[in-house]
Amino acid sequence: MLEAPNWYARQYNSVVARTRESDPDAEFHIQQIGEQRHASSLATIDYGDAFVLDLRDKGGIAMSGAINDDALTAVFLWGEGTTFNGQRSEVPQLRIIGPGTEFKLEMPGSYRLMRIGLRGSALESLRTASASHLGQRTALMPGIHEQRLTAGAELELQQRLLRTVGFAEAAAQRGYDLSAGLAVAASEAGAALARVLSLTEQPSPRALGSSDRRDIVDATLAILEARPHSPVSVSAVCEVLGIGERMLERAFQERLGISPRAYERERRLRAAHGLILTQGDRLSITDIAMSFGFWHLGRFAGAYTSIFGCSPSEARRRFWRHAAPD
């Protein structure tokens, strides 16, 4: 039996209110930029394996974060002065954000964001279908993949998005139970995205030699170590090295058996652990986590526990028995 969907339509007049919202497919941090008053309207539906969202916003915000390792997201983002990982995004353009990919957005004025997220069985179906479609295989790799669509295919996908969030908005505002219709709409939006991916083809990456992999990994580690106390964007590393995120991913997997994002996150976790050991008697776990770019404290605690075998709070109590409670 399918779980009941969650849907809503809300308006915000502050970045603080927006920041309270959680995201099923990503962790992120939002801050206001500029002096313009913030105002936004958001409609969304989260139905099991699909997440569909339409956001109309103004007021100037910056957002940074990462897509979860078990999710894929497709977005149209556009607005005056808007940038996506440093690239201008002033007209609608479909971007596929693969699992485990970092992102950084700046929207200094008014903008719009339309999005489909896939996870669970929907993502597994896409993985199965990807065996025969290079475009789908590419989308399932870490990185941001820009898709060039025909006008008809782009319009169809945008219409699916608008229909779905239109249902969600009606359900939220009028109190109607549109569960069955919303489930179908979300499913069709995911299917439309899969069809779009099957229409795109990209060239196969060149083979990497042993020396290539070693040089890429060594150069990346040098960049990470140059900023031992700060998060380092994988996309920024690729820009410095002049390579794609897929190539960096392959080099790390073949040399270290771990993705570059997972390595970078573990590096920050170990740095946070060091700060607990050295200053845990006067710093809270929240302060320590935030200082290393972990904005979702629950996920920080889970990731820390998976590496060190206890929660950060427990580690702090073990080393600093007289520390103030978090």
Side-chain angles (χ1 to χ4, degrees):
M1 181 176 180
L2 292 175
E3 62 183 85
N6 297 315
W7 64 87
Y8 59 81
R10 296 180 184 173
Q11 294 184 345
Y12 306 93
N13 58 12
S14 73
V15 171
V16 174
R18 276 281 310 282
T19 303
R20 294 195 188 105
E21 294 292 346
S22 61
D23 191 297
D25 297 331
E27 58 178 271
F28 61 89
H29 175 69
I30 299 176
Q31 66 182 46
Q32 186 159 351
I33 55 177
E35 301 297 329
Q36 187 177 356
R37 181 181 177 183
H38 183 82
S40 63
S41 175
L42 179 142
T44 185
I45 172 177
D46 178 7
Y47 191 85
D49 298 330
F51 180 74
V52 183
L53 173 148
D54 180 36
L55 173 65
R56 287 159 286 182
D57 206 351
K58 67 178 181 179
I61 68 170
M63 177 186 294
S64 57
I67 301 299
N68 296 341
D69 293 333
D70 58 352
L72 176 145
T73 291
V75 298
F76 290 101
L77 171 67
W78 69 99
E80 185 177 357
T82 296
T83 61
F84 193 115
N85 278 18
Q87 295 185 349
R88 297 176 70 88
S89 185
E90 297 189 348
V91 297
Q93 181 178 2
L94 181 63
R95 291 179 173 89
I96 309 298
I97 312 176
T101 300
E102 297 173 349
F103 58 83
K104 184 176 181 180
L105 314 178
E106 289 193 1
M107 294 80 75
S110 299
Y111 71 93
R112 182 137 186 198
L113 188 151
M114 302 168 64
R115 168 180 158 194
I116 302 176
L118 300 180
R119 68 180 91 90
S121 61
L123 189 57
E124 287 306 311
S125 297
L126 191 61
R127 293 186 192 279
T128 301
S130 69
S132 58
H133 294 294
L134 182 58
Q136 291 178 347
R137 291 201 300 273
T138 299
L140 292 168
M141 296 290 292
I144 298 172
H145 316 290
E146 297 183 357
Q147 304 290 345
R148 296 187 180 277
L149 308 178
T150 65
E154 181 174 311
L155 181 60
E156 179 188 358
L157 187 57
Q158 291 172 341
Q159 286 177 332
R160 293 290 185 185
L161 278 161
L162 291 175
R163 288 172 187 166
T164 304
V165 296
F167 278 130
E169 194 167 12
Q173 292 179 346
R174 303 176 186 178
Y176 292 165
D177 182 1
L178 301 178
S179 302
L182 287 165
V184 172
S187 176
E188 289 186 348
L193 174 60
R195 286 196 297 273
V196 164
L197 296 179
S198 70
L199 296 175
T200 60
E201 294 291 335
Q202 300 189 14
S204 300
R206 69 176 179 87
L208 286 177
S210 177
S211 60
D212 294 326
R213 294 191 296 270
R214 183 181 62 251
D215 292 344
I216 288 173
V217 172
D218 289 348
T220 301
L221 298 184
I223 294 172
L224 296 179
E225 293 307 318
R227 300 178 61 189
H229 300 293
S230 303
V232 177
S233 168
V234 170
S235 58
V237 171
C238 291
E239 184 175 349
V240 170
L241 299 182
I243 62 174
E245 291 193 20
R246 290 182 64 198
M247 184 174 291
L248 184 65
E249 171 81 15
R250 290 167 56 220
F252 262 73
Q253 290 289 358
E254 293 173 12
R255 291 286 296 178
L256 303 178
I258 189 173
S259 71
R261 179 173 180 268
Y263 181 94
E264 195 276 340
R265 181 174 60 179
E266 182 174 321
R267 179 187 67 90
R268 286 186 287 136
L269 286 168
R270 291 184 180 279
H273 178 70
L275 196 56
I276 290 174
L277 268 59
T278 56
Q279 300 187 43
D281 58 333
R282 61 186 185 85
L283 294 179
S284 70
I285 295 301
T286 298
D287 291 337
I288 292 172
M290 294 288 285
S291 68
F292 289 100
F294 294 103
W295 308 298
H296 193 296
L297 297 182
R299 289 175 184 155
F300 167 70
Y304 183 98
T305 301
S306 68
I307 292 179
F308 294 102
C310 66
S311 70
S313 296
E314 176 61 24
R316 182 170 177 260
R317 285 193 295 269
R318 290 180 183 181
F319 289 97
W320 304 99
R321 295 184 179 179
H322 304 293
D326 288 312

